[in-house]
Amino acid sequence: MADITIRGAGIFGLSIAWACIRRGARVTVVDPNGPGAGSSGGVVGALAPHVPENWNAKKAFQLESLLMAGPFWAKVEETSGMSSGYARSGRLQPIPDTKGLDLARQRAISSAALWGKHATWSVDQMDGAAWAPPSPTGWVIRDTLSAHLHPRSACDTLVAALSAKGVTIQSDGPDTGAVIWATGIAGLDALNRQHHRMVGNGVKGQAALLRFDAGIAPQIFADGVHIIPHSNGTVAVGSTSERDFEDPNTTDAQLDAVIDRARTAVPVLKDAEVIHRWAGVRPRARSRAPMLGDWPDRPGHFIANGGFKIGFGMAPKIAEVMADLVLEGRNQIPDGFEVRASF
C-alpha cells in the first residue's frame, strides 16, 4: 500500500486524495488553514466549457473532465451522504448582434464535431421565460455541457467522503511517502521565491450570493457575469478578475457593479437580497493552464496547482491523472500542463 501526503485541502488536494484513496493508497491531507480555506471556498462554482473551436489539449482535457464530473460527484455524494450541489443544467448566453449570431452558429457546427454526442451548443430563440437574459437579437446560445456546483458544499462533501474512508484533514504533520503540493496561491508564491522568473501569480475575484430560488435552471453568462442558480435557494453572481489589488479578502465597488449587471441581465433578481459577499485570490500558473507533474530537483514531490477559474471543472480529470502519475508512474499530463511549462 502506497503512502501519499497531500499538502493543501482545496479542490485539487481533496479530489486527488479521493482518487488515491479509492485506488488503495494510504493518504494524509495536511492544510494549516483547513479545507476550502482559499479560493476553493468561493460561491460561484461555474463548470463551463471553452468555446468549441481552435481545439487544443487544454480544451480536450477540460471536455473529458466535465464529462467525468457527473459520475465523480455522484460517487462522492453516495459515500458522504451529502450534496455537492452538482447539476448539469446547461447555460444560456445572450447574443448581442448579427456578427455574434453568425459566430454562434458556426460554433454550433463545430461543437457537433468536437463534442460529439456528449453535448450540444445550439442557437435558440428566446422563449419568454423569466429566468433568461434579455438579448438584443432575440437569440441565445444554449449549451448542455455546462454544469455547476456550490464550491463550499463540494469541498465539505469531499471531506465527508474522505472521512468515511478513514482520512481526516490535519493542520500539521510530516511528509510520508510521495508528497503532492496542491497549495494554491501560497504554493505559487513559494515557487516564485525559488526561481529566477515568475512561475505564477494570484488574480483576485469577487462574488456574491443572492437570496432567490430559481429552481432547476440553467446558469447564465451575460455581460461578463456568471449567474448561477444553486439548489439551496440562492443565486451566485461573479466574478471579477483583478491583477492589481491591495486587500485580497475585501469586497468593494467592483462587486457592486457585478451585482448591478447581474440584475440587469436577469430582471427577476432586481429585488433579491444580497446575503453574502466573497473575495479571494485564485492561483494562475504562468502557462495559464493547470500546473501538474513532478517537482524538478525534488524527487518524490509533485505539484498540482494553477486551477485559476476552472479548478472545479478540471478537478475530476486532474485527480485521476495525478493518481496515475504518483501511484502507477504513468504520465498522462498534456505537455502544456507539465510543471516545466511554467518553470
Side-chain angles (χ1 to χ4, degrees), residues 16-208:
I16 295 166
W18 175 247
C20 289
I21 200 72
R22 293 189 69 202
R23 297 195 193 191
R26 209 167 16 232
V27 178
T28 302
V29 181
V30 180
D31 194 316
N33 300 307
S39 60
S40 293
V43 298
V44 176
L47 312 183
H50 291 289
V51 294
E53 64 182 12
N54 300 323
W55 207 240
N56 56 33
K58 181 179 180 180
K59 291 185 178 183
F61 191 102
Q62 187 194 40
L63 172 62
E64 291 180 42
S65 193
L66 290 173
L67 295 174
M68 292 169 64
F72 177 92
W73 289 109
K75 188 62 180 179
V76 172
E77 291 176 350
E78 176 188 341
T79 305
S80 66
M82 298 170 59
S83 173
S84 65
Y86 175 84
R88 184 176 161 184
S89 54
R91 177 178 59 173
L92 300 175
Q93 302 177 69
I95 300 175
D97 51 37
T98 302
K99 182 178 178 181
L101 183 59
D102 291 342
L103 181 59
R105 286 171 170 156
Q106 291 172 26
R107 289 171 173 170
I109 296 171
S110 62
S111 72
L114 297 170
W115 293 356
K117 297 181 179 179
H118 300 298
T120 59
W121 170 296
S122 60
V123 178
D124 299 342
Q125 284 189 300
M126 295 288 293
D127 57 12
W131 185 260
S135 174
T137 60
W139 296 84
V140 295
I141 299 164
R142 185 189 304 271
D143 84 73
T144 63
L145 181 55
S146 293
H148 65 267
L149 47 68
H150 193 294
R152 294 181 181 178
S153 297
C155 288
D156 289 344
T157 304
L158 271 168
V159 169
L162 288 168
S163 179
K165 298 286 189 180
V167 179
T168 57
I169 314 302
Q170 304 178 13
S171 61
D172 196 8
D175 291 340
T176 303
V179 184
I180 302 173
W181 294 81
T183 47
I185 186 61
L188 290 183
D189 287 343
L191 290 170
N192 287 335
R193 291 192 294 270
Q194 297 168 17
H195 292 82
H196 64 281
R197 65 175 179 174
M198 182 174 287
V199 173
N201 66 334
V203 178
K204 181 179 176 180
Q206 299 185 48

Side-chain angles (χ1 to χ4, degrees), residues 152 206-209 251-253 255-256 259 274-279:
R152 294 181 181 178
Q206 299 185 48
L209 273 181
T251 62
D252 55 31
L255 179 56
D256 296 334
I259 295 169
V274 177
I275 58 176
H276 181 68
R277 296 166 67 96
W278 177 88

